[in-house]
Amino acid sequence: MSDAAARFRAFLVDAPHWVELLSEEPARNVLRRDTSHPVFHGCLDWHSACHGVWALIAHRGITGDCRHAAIVDQLLTEDALAREAADLAARPDFEMPYGRAWFLRLALEDARVGGATRLAPMARSIAADLVARYEQHPPEPFAREYRNASWALTNLFDYAKSAENREILQFAHDAARALEKSLDVIPDGEAQWPDFMAVLPALCELLVRVGSVDASTVLGRARKSLFDLRPVLAPTRAHHHALNFSRAWSLLALFEATDDDGLLSLGLDHLEAGLAHPSWWRGDYRAVGHWVPQFGIFALQRAFEVGSRWR
């Protein structure tokens, strides 16, 4: 067993503890009345509330503990969801694409963990909206933060796979394939971007996830730029506090696809750096507490998924 593999196994032993701690934040915050939205009114804004609810369901999926189920059920009522759907339909640019992609992830988790179908109608509409957007405005491979196309297309692909929607699967595949050439023009300086969403790692994950480019080819063309990334140790603004987590989930996905120990070590470096600073994810509510814990849970979920399939 390699040193990286041994380290990964040891990390997974303690990882449930981190999931428990991180879940305490959205459990407190999703019921807040920070906005007037029917369902997603806590966590300061719509998309943070959306992935706050996702995190509570993901906690159950990881741990088997249903302690947060009542909170989720209190929010995801038929009437409130109908009003959320009407609001999104009336405002086609609202939370497009970032928050809507998170809703697809939420719908996937709700169906996977609890077998629920309550989010399916809204998810179908949102998936169609994302397709329409990218048909009109082709995705930009290195768009940053809320405009990140790789995040949106990855979630669209995962949703379509779960829903067995061949048309959307093909759309996501073709859209990703069109981004392959961007690996030849990777911008310099991402290692210094104070963002919350990884860009090149997310693009590489997308290409590998949809199967549009062979994993070894992606790594061969992007390896140097990927390994220029180092964990954030001194965040320079609020959004910077979650970058370790978003890099980690994509790096772990790339490790799974390539079995490259360097990617595993780099992913763990980022994940551990984010977890090691609790004030970065349960500190000031407006800056980090309302959203960063959810990113940590997603990174940990990815670690468990990779660990369960990896030998």
Side-chain angles (χ1 to χ4, degrees):
M1 180 185 298
S2 69
D3 290 345
R7 179 184 169 197
F8 188 33
R9 290 185 187 278
F11 174 83
L12 290 175
V13 172
D14 293 331
H17 166 72
W18 291 112
V19 176
E20 295 287 357
L21 290 178
L22 289 159
S23 74
E24 293 173 358
E25 300 304 307
R28 280 194 292 266
N29 296 330
V30 293
L31 292 177
R32 291 172 60 118
R33 289 285 174 177
D34 293 337
T35 72
S36 60
H37 296 296
V39 176
F40 305 117
H41 48 68
C43 297
L44 209 61
D45 53 58
W46 195 94
H47 56 259
S48 298
C50 183
H51 56 67
V53 177
W54 169 87
L56 299 184
I57 300 172
H59 167 270
R60 175 182 172 185
I62 293 169
T63 66
D65 187 330
C66 299
R67 74 178 72 177
H68 303 310
I71 297 174
V72 173
D73 291 342
Q74 180 179 337
L75 290 168
L76 301 183
T77 65
E78 182 177 357
D79 175 67
L81 287 168
R83 286 184 284 136
E84 285 284 10
D87 184 55
L88 289 185
R91 296 195 287 167
D93 291 329
F94 179 69
E95 293 289 354
M96 177 65 80
Y98 177 75
R100 297 192 188 218
W102 262 114
F103 184 89
L104 294 183
R105 180 61 52 185
L106 168 60
L108 280 172
E109 201 71 18
D110 198 36
R112 184 182 69 84
V113 173
T117 59
R118 56 192 165 187
L119 302 182
M122 196 168 164
R124 283 194 296 271
S125 179
I126 285 175
D129 290 343
L130 284 167
V131 170
R133 177 183 180 85
Y134 286 124
E135 285 179 336
Q136 296 174 13
H137 306 286
E140 300 174 34
F142 300 112
R144 295 165 58 178
E145 304 248 76
Y146 299 115
R147 295 174 55 247
N148 188 294
S150 299
W151 167 252
L153 290 172
T154 296
N155 284 286
L156 184 63
F157 175 81
D158 287 347
Y159 162 78
K161 187 175 181 181
S162 175
E164 299 182 345
N165 188 315
R166 293 184 180 181
E167 183 177 351
I168 296 181
L169 276 173
Q170 189 62 51
F171 173 83
H173 181 277
D174 293 345
R177 185 59 185 252
L179 299 178
E180 177 190 1
K181 59 183 180 294
S182 63
L183 292 178
D184 297 325
V185 289
I186 298 171
D188 294 329
E190 182 176 344
Q192 283 73 50
W193 293 349
D195 297 354
F196 68 85
M197 184 65 75
V199 176
L200 180 61
L203 173 61
C204 292
E205 179 189 352
L206 169 68
L207 297 175
V208 170
R209 177 76 66 82
V210 305
S212 59
V213 187
D214 178 80
S216 61
T217 299
V218 171
L219 187 57
R221 295 163 72 181
R223 184 181 181 87
K224 181 182 182 304
S225 295
L226 287 172
F227 280 90
D228 282 343
L229 304 177
R230 290 293 180 269
V232 175
L233 300 179
T236 58
R237 66 181 187 123
H239 274 184
H240 211 189
H241 289 83
L243 185 56
N244 285 325
F245 291 140
S246 67
R247 284 180 180 169
W249 72 56
S250 288
L251 290 167
L252 290 174
L254 294 173
F255 158 69
E256 184 180 30
T258 62
D259 204 29
D260 186 299
D261 275 356
L263 289 170
L264 177 58
S265 293
L266 190 60
L268 287 172
D269 288 346
H270 280 82
L271 185 46
E272 290 173 344
L275 294 171
H277 297 86
S279 65
W280 293 7
W281 43 266
R282 64 180 180 194
D284 181 77
Y285 176 66
R286 296 190 66 85
V288 297
H290 74 279
W291 69 286
V292 178
Q294 292 92 286
F295 273 52
I297 291 176
F298 192 28
L300 287 165
Q301 183 190 66
R302 179 62 51 79
F304 282 114
E305 290 172 350
V306 172
S308 69
R309 297 188 292 257
W310 169 66
R311 297 291 183 269

PDB file of all heavy atoms in Angstrom, residues 205-229:
ATOM      1  N   GLU A 205     -12.647  17.475 -14.020  1.00  0.00           N
ATOM      2  CA  GLU A 205     -13.630  16.514 -13.513  1.00  0.00           C
ATOM      3  C   GLU A 205     -14.785  16.350 -14.494  1.00  0.00           C
ATOM      4  O   GLU A 205     -15.243  15.235 -14.755  1.00  0.00           O
ATOM      5  CB  GLU A 205     -14.173  16.959 -12.150  1.00  0.00           C
ATOM      6  CG  GLU A 205     -15.221  15.999 -11.606  1.00  0.00           C
ATOM      7  CD  GLU A 205     -15.941  16.492 -10.376  1.00  0.00           C
ATOM      8  OE1 GLU A 205     -15.556  17.532  -9.811  1.00  0.00           O
ATOM      9  OE2 GLU A 205     -16.919  15.828  -9.966  1.00  0.00           O
ATOM     10  N   LEU A 206     -15.280  17.471 -15.012  1.00  0.00           N
ATOM     11  CA  LEU A 206     -16.376  17.405 -15.978  1.00  0.00           C
ATOM     12  C   LEU A 206     -16.002  16.550 -17.181  1.00  0.00           C
ATOM     13  O   LEU A 206     -16.762  15.654 -17.582  1.00  0.00           O
ATOM     14  CB  LEU A 206     -16.752  18.819 -16.438  1.00  0.00           C
ATOM     15  CG  LEU A 206     -17.705  18.896 -17.634  1.00  0.00           C
ATOM     16  CD1 LEU A 206     -19.083  18.381 -17.265  1.00  0.00           C
ATOM     17  CD2 LEU A 206     -17.775  20.335 -18.169  1.00  0.00           C
ATOM     18  N   LEU A 207     -14.841  16.809 -17.766  1.00  0.00           N
ATOM     19  CA  LEU A 207     -14.427  16.075 -18.964  1.00  0.00           C
ATOM     20  C   LEU A 207     -14.327  14.579 -18.696  1.00  0.00           C
ATOM     21  O   LEU A 207     -14.732  13.758 -19.523  1.00  0.00           O
ATOM     22  CB  LEU A 207     -13.088  16.617 -19.459  1.00  0.00           C
ATOM     23  CG  LEU A 207     -13.062  18.080 -19.918  1.00  0.00           C
ATOM     24  CD1 LEU A 207     -11.655  18.513 -20.274  1.00  0.00           C
ATOM     25  CD2 LEU A 207     -14.004  18.295 -21.096  1.00  0.00           C
ATOM     26  N   VAL A 208     -13.811  14.250 -17.522  1.00  0.00           N
ATOM     27  CA  VAL A 208     -13.666  12.836 -17.165  1.00  0.00           C
ATOM     28  C   VAL A 208     -15.018  12.228 -16.814  1.00  0.00           C
ATOM     29  O   VAL A 208     -15.342  11.099 -17.209  1.00  0.00           O
ATOM     30  CB  VAL A 208     -12.669  12.694 -15.998  1.00  0.00           C
ATOM     31  CG1 VAL A 208     -12.693  11.277 -15.443  1.00  0.00           C
ATOM     32  CG2 VAL A 208     -11.270  13.073 -16.453  1.00  0.00           C
ATOM     33  N   ARG A 209     -15.840  12.976 -16.064  1.00  0.00           N
ATOM     34  CA  ARG A 209     -17.120  12.445 -15.594  1.00  0.00           C
ATOM     35  C   ARG A 209     -18.032  12.076 -16.755  1.00  0.00           C
ATOM     36  O   ARG A 209     -18.672  11.025 -16.738  1.00  0.00           O
ATOM     37  CB  ARG A 209     -17.792  13.483 -14.700  1.00  0.00           C
ATOM     38  CG  ARG A 209     -19.177  13.094 -14.183  1.00  0.00           C
ATOM     39  CD  ARG A 209     -19.077  12.082 -13.049  1.00  0.00           C
ATOM     40  NE  ARG A 209     -18.452  12.664 -11.893  1.00  0.00           N
ATOM     41  CZ  ARG A 209     -19.080  13.414 -10.988  1.00  0.00           C
ATOM     42  NH1 ARG A 209     -20.365  13.665 -11.109  1.00  0.00           N
ATOM     43  NH2 ARG A 209     -18.439  13.898  -9.954  1.00  0.00           N
ATOM     44  N   VAL A 210     -18.110  12.932 -17.746  1.00  0.00           N
ATOM     45  CA  VAL A 210     -19.033  12.668 -18.851  1.00  0.00           C
ATOM     46  C   VAL A 210     -18.431  11.727 -19.890  1.00  0.00           C
ATOM     47  O   VAL A 210     -19.125  11.287 -20.813  1.00  0.00           O
ATOM     48  CB  VAL A 210     -19.510  13.964 -19.524  1.00  0.00           C
ATOM     49  CG1 VAL A 210     -20.131  14.906 -18.524  1.00  0.00           C
ATOM     50  CG2 VAL A 210     -18.387  14.643 -20.277  1.00  0.00           C
ATOM     51  N   GLY A 211     -17.146  11.434 -19.745  1.00  0.00           N
ATOM     52  CA  GLY A 211     -16.518  10.502 -20.677  1.00  0.00           C
ATOM     53  C   GLY A 211     -16.191  11.095 -22.019  1.00  0.00           C
ATOM     54  O   GLY A 211     -16.001  10.368 -23.002  1.00  0.00           O
ATOM     55  N   SER A 212     -16.101  12.430 -22.081  1.00  0.00           N
ATOM     56  CA  SER A 212     -15.824  13.053 -23.374  1.00  0.00           C
ATOM     57  C   SER A 212     -14.343  13.017 -23.718  1.00  0.00           C
ATOM     58  O   SER A 212     -13.973  13.121 -24.885  1.00  0.00           O
ATOM     59  CB  SER A 212     -16.327  14.501 -23.386  1.00  0.00           C
ATOM     60  OG  SER A 212     -15.703  15.260 -22.371  1.00  0.00           O
ATOM     61  N   VAL A 213     -13.493  12.898 -22.701  1.00  0.00           N
ATOM     62  CA  VAL A 213     -12.056  12.833 -22.905  1.00  0.00           C
ATOM     63  C   VAL A 213     -11.490  11.789 -21.952  1.00  0.00           C
ATOM     64  O   VAL A 213     -11.888  11.724 -20.782  1.00  0.00           O
ATOM     65  CB  VAL A 213     -11.373  14.195 -22.650  1.00  0.00           C
ATOM     66  CG1 VAL A 213      -9.900  14.137 -23.039  1.00  0.00           C
ATOM     67  CG2 VAL A 213     -12.070  15.315 -23.419  1.00  0.00           C
ATOM     68  N   ASP A 214     -10.577  10.989 -22.423  1.00  0.00           N
ATOM     69  CA  ASP A 214      -9.948   9.973 -21.584  1.00  0.00           C
ATOM     70  C   ASP A 214      -9.233  10.630 -20.406  1.00  0.00           C
ATOM     71  O   ASP A 214      -8.582  11.669 -20.552  1.00  0.00           O
ATOM     72  CB  ASP A 214      -8.956   9.159 -22.418  1.00  0.00           C
ATOM     73  CG  ASP A 214      -8.235   8.119 -21.590  1.00  0.00           C
ATOM     74  OD1 ASP A 214      -8.836   7.057 -21.341  1.00  0.00           O
ATOM     75  OD2 ASP A 214      -7.086   8.368 -21.179  1.00  0.00           O
ATOM     76  N   ALA A 215      -9.337  10.018 -19.230  1.00  0.00           N
ATOM     77  CA  ALA A 215      -8.772  10.596 -18.019  1.00  0.00           C
ATOM     78  C   ALA A 215      -7.268  10.799 -18.125  1.00  0.00           C
ATOM     79  O   ALA A 215      -6.730  11.813 -17.675  1.00  0.00           O
ATOM     80  CB  ALA A 215      -9.102   9.720 -16.817  1.00  0.00           C
ATOM     81  N   SER A 216      -6.570   9.838 -18.718  1.00  0.00           N
ATOM     82  CA  SER A 216      -5.120   9.975 -18.839  1.00  0.00           C
ATOM     83  C   SER A 216      -4.752  11.128 -19.763  1.00  0.00           C
ATOM     84  O   SER A 216      -3.746  11.815 -19.547  1.00  0.00           O
ATOM     85  CB  SER A 216      -4.509   8.669 -19.350  1.00  0.00           C
ATOM     86  OG  SER A 216      -5.021   8.333 -20.629  1.00  0.00           O
ATOM     87  N   THR A 217      -5.577  11.380 -20.770  1.00  0.00           N
ATOM     88  CA  THR A 217      -5.347  12.505 -21.675  1.00  0.00           C
ATOM     89  C   THR A 217      -5.542  13.823 -20.951  1.00  0.00           C
ATOM     90  O   THR A 217      -4.751  14.762 -21.089  1.00  0.00           O
ATOM     91  CB  THR A 217      -6.293  12.424 -22.882  1.00  0.00           C
ATOM     92  OG1 THR A 217      -6.048  11.215 -23.586  1.00  0.00           O
ATOM     93  CG2 THR A 217      -6.097  13.607 -23.812  1.00  0.00           C
ATOM     94  N   VAL A 218      -6.608  13.905 -20.166  1.00  0.00           N
ATOM     95  CA  VAL A 218      -6.866  15.119 -19.397  1.00  0.00           C
ATOM     96  C   VAL A 218      -5.703  15.399 -18.455  1.00  0.00           C
ATOM     97  O   VAL A 218      -5.187  16.520 -18.388  1.00  0.00           O
ATOM     98  CB  VAL A 218      -8.181  14.987 -18.604  1.00  0.00           C
ATOM     99  CG1 VAL A 218      -8.339  16.148 -17.630  1.00  0.00           C
ATOM    100  CG2 VAL A 218      -9.365  14.934 -19.551  1.00  0.00           C
ATOM    101  N   LEU A 219      -5.276  14.381 -17.725  1.00  0.00           N
ATOM    102  CA  LEU A 219      -4.199  14.576 -16.767  1.00  0.00           C
ATOM    103  C   LEU A 219      -2.895  14.932 -17.479  1.00  0.00           C
ATOM    104  O   LEU A 219      -2.133  15.783 -17.003  1.00  0.00           O
ATOM    105  CB  LEU A 219      -4.011  13.319 -15.916  1.00  0.00           C
ATOM    106  CG  LEU A 219      -3.017  13.440 -14.749  1.00  0.00           C
ATOM    107  CD1 LEU A 219      -3.423  14.577 -13.821  1.00  0.00           C
ATOM    108  CD2 LEU A 219      -2.946  12.134 -13.981  1.00  0.00           C
ATOM    109  N   GLY A 220      -2.653  14.317 -18.616  1.00  0.00           N
ATOM    110  CA  GLY A 220      -1.442  14.615 -19.357  1.00  0.00           C
ATOM    111  C   GLY A 220      -1.361  16.071 -19.785  1.00  0.00           C
ATOM    112  O   GLY A 220      -0.274  16.665 -19.819  1.00  0.00           O
ATOM    113  N   ARG A 221      -2.503  16.664 -20.095  1.00  0.00           N
ATOM    114  CA  ARG A 221      -2.517  18.048 -20.587  1.00  0.00           C
ATOM    115  C   ARG A 221      -2.658  19.072 -19.460  1.00  0.00           C
ATOM    116  O   ARG A 221      -2.267  20.230 -19.629  1.00  0.00           O
ATOM    117  CB  ARG A 221      -3.649  18.214 -21.599  1.00  0.00           C
ATOM    118  CG  ARG A 221      -3.423  17.385 -22.851  1.00  0.00           C
ATOM    119  CD  ARG A 221      -4.674  17.200 -23.676  1.00  0.00           C
ATOM    120  NE  ARG A 221      -5.097  18.410 -24.359  1.00  0.00           N
ATOM    121  CZ  ARG A 221      -6.178  18.486 -25.128  1.00  0.00           C
ATOM    122  NH1 ARG A 221      -6.939  17.405 -25.294  1.00  0.00           N
ATOM    123  NH2 ARG A 221      -6.505  19.618 -25.713  1.00  0.00           N
ATOM    124  N   ALA A 222      -3.202  18.658 -18.347  1.00  0.00           N
ATOM    125  CA  ALA A 222      -3.473  19.618 -17.269  1.00  0.00           C
ATOM    126  C   ALA A 222      -2.634  19.379 -16.024  1.00  0.00           C
ATOM    127  O   ALA A 222      -2.729  20.155 -15.067  1.00  0.00           O
ATOM    128  CB  ALA A 222      -4.949  19.568 -16.897  1.00  0.00           C
ATOM    129  N   ARG A 223      -1.822  18.353 -16.026  1.00  0.00           N
ATOM    130  CA  ARG A 223      -1.129  17.932 -14.804  1.00  0.00           C
ATOM    131  C   ARG A 223      -0.327  19.062 -14.157  1.00  0.00           C
ATOM    132  O   ARG A 223      -0.454  19.313 -12.952  1.00  0.00           O
ATOM    133  CB  ARG A 223      -0.213  16.750 -15.099  1.00  0.00           C
ATOM    134  CG  ARG A 223       0.473  16.208 -13.845  1.00  0.00           C
ATOM    135  CD  ARG A 223       1.401  15.043 -14.155  1.00  0.00           C
ATOM    136  NE  ARG A 223       2.000  14.545 -12.939  1.00  0.00           N
ATOM    137  CZ  ARG A 223       1.444  13.626 -12.140  1.00  0.00           C
ATOM    138  NH1 ARG A 223       0.270  13.098 -12.455  1.00  0.00           N
ATOM    139  NH2 ARG A 223       2.050  13.231 -11.044  1.00  0.00           N
ATOM    140  N   LYS A 224       0.497  19.753 -14.926  1.00  0.00           N
ATOM    141  CA  LYS A 224       1.357  20.778 -14.331  1.00  0.00           C
ATOM    142  C   LYS A 224       0.522  21.862 -13.657  1.00  0.00           C
ATOM    143  O   LYS A 224       0.815  22.272 -12.523  1.00  0.00           O
ATOM    144  CB  LYS A 224       2.260  21.409 -15.387  1.00  0.00           C
ATOM    145  CG  LYS A 224       3.193  22.473 -14.813  1.00  0.00           C
ATOM    146  CD  LYS A 224       4.039  23.124 -15.883  1.00  0.00           C
ATOM    147  CE  LYS A 224       5.000  24.141 -15.236  1.00  0.00           C
ATOM    148  NZ  LYS A 224       4.291  25.156 -14.421  1.00  0.00           N
ATOM    149  N   SER A 225      -0.515  22.325 -14.345  1.00  0.00           N
ATOM    150  CA  SER A 225      -1.350  23.380 -13.773  1.00  0.00           C
ATOM    151  C   SER A 225      -2.092  22.888 -12.534  1.00  0.00           C
ATOM    152  O   SER A 225      -2.267  23.636 -11.559  1.00  0.00           O
ATOM    153  CB  SER A 225      -2.344  23.883 -14.817  1.00  0.00           C
ATOM    154  OG  SER A 225      -1.676  24.501 -15.896  1.00  0.00           O
ATOM    155  N   LEU A 226      -2.548  21.644 -12.538  1.00  0.00           N
ATOM    156  CA  LEU A 226      -3.217  21.090 -11.362  1.00  0.00           C
ATOM    157  C   LEU A 226      -2.274  21.029 -10.168  1.00  0.00           C
ATOM    158  O   LEU A 226      -2.648  21.376  -9.042  1.00  0.00           O
ATOM    159  CB  LEU A 226      -3.765  19.694 -11.667  1.00  0.00           C
ATOM    160  CG  LEU A 226      -4.987  19.611 -12.572  1.00  0.00           C
ATOM    161  CD1 LEU A 226      -5.277  18.161 -12.939  1.00  0.00           C
ATOM    162  CD2 LEU A 226      -6.217  20.219 -11.881  1.00  0.00           C
ATOM    163  N   PHE A 227      -1.051  20.609 -10.418  1.00  0.00           N
ATOM    164  CA  PHE A 227      -0.118  20.443  -9.309  1.00  0.00           C
ATOM    165  C   PHE A 227       0.541  21.752  -8.883  1.00  0.00           C
ATOM    166  O   PHE A 227       1.292  21.774  -7.903  1.00  0.00           O
ATOM    167  CB  PHE A 227       0.921  19.373  -9.640  1.00  0.00           C
ATOM    168  CG  PHE A 227       0.399  17.978  -9.447  1.00  0.00           C
ATOM    169  CD1 PHE A 227      -0.217  17.304 -10.490  1.00  0.00           C
ATOM    170  CD2 PHE A 227       0.470  17.354  -8.218  1.00  0.00           C
ATOM    171  CE1 PHE A 227      -0.727  16.029 -10.312  1.00  0.00           C
ATOM    172  CE2 PHE A 227      -0.037  16.082  -8.029  1.00  0.00           C
ATOM    173  CZ  PHE A 227      -0.640  15.413  -9.077  1.00  0.00           C
ATOM    174  N   ASP A 228       0.231  22.840  -9.604  1.00  0.00           N
ATOM    175  CA  ASP A 228       0.640  24.158  -9.132  1.00  0.00           C
ATOM    176  C   ASP A 228      -0.271  24.645  -8.000  1.00  0.00           C
ATOM    177  O   ASP A 228       0.071  25.592  -7.291  1.00  0.00           O
ATOM    178  CB  ASP A 228       0.579  25.183 -10.273  1.00  0.00           C
ATOM    179  CG  ASP A 228       1.773  25.084 -11.209  1.00  0.00           C
ATOM    180  OD1 ASP A 228       2.783  24.463 -10.817  1.00  0.00           O
ATOM    181  OD2 ASP A 228       1.695  25.614 -12.337  1.00  0.00           O
ATOM    182  N   LEU A 229      -1.426  24.000  -7.852  1.00  0.00           N
ATOM    183  CA  LEU A 229      -2.380  24.397  -6.820  1.00  0.00           C
ATOM    184  C   LEU A 229      -1.910  23.894  -5.462  1.00  0.00           C
ATOM    185  O   LEU A 229      -1.536  22.734  -5.316  1.00  0.00           O
ATOM    186  CB  LEU A 229      -3.763  23.833  -7.136  1.00  0.00           C
ATOM    187  CG  LEU A 229      -4.351  24.203  -8.494  1.00  0.00           C
ATOM    188  CD1 LEU A 229      -5.692  23.497  -8.690  1.00  0.00           C
ATOM    189  CD2 LEU A 229      -4.503  25.711  -8.646  1.00  0.00           C
TER     190      LEU A 229
END
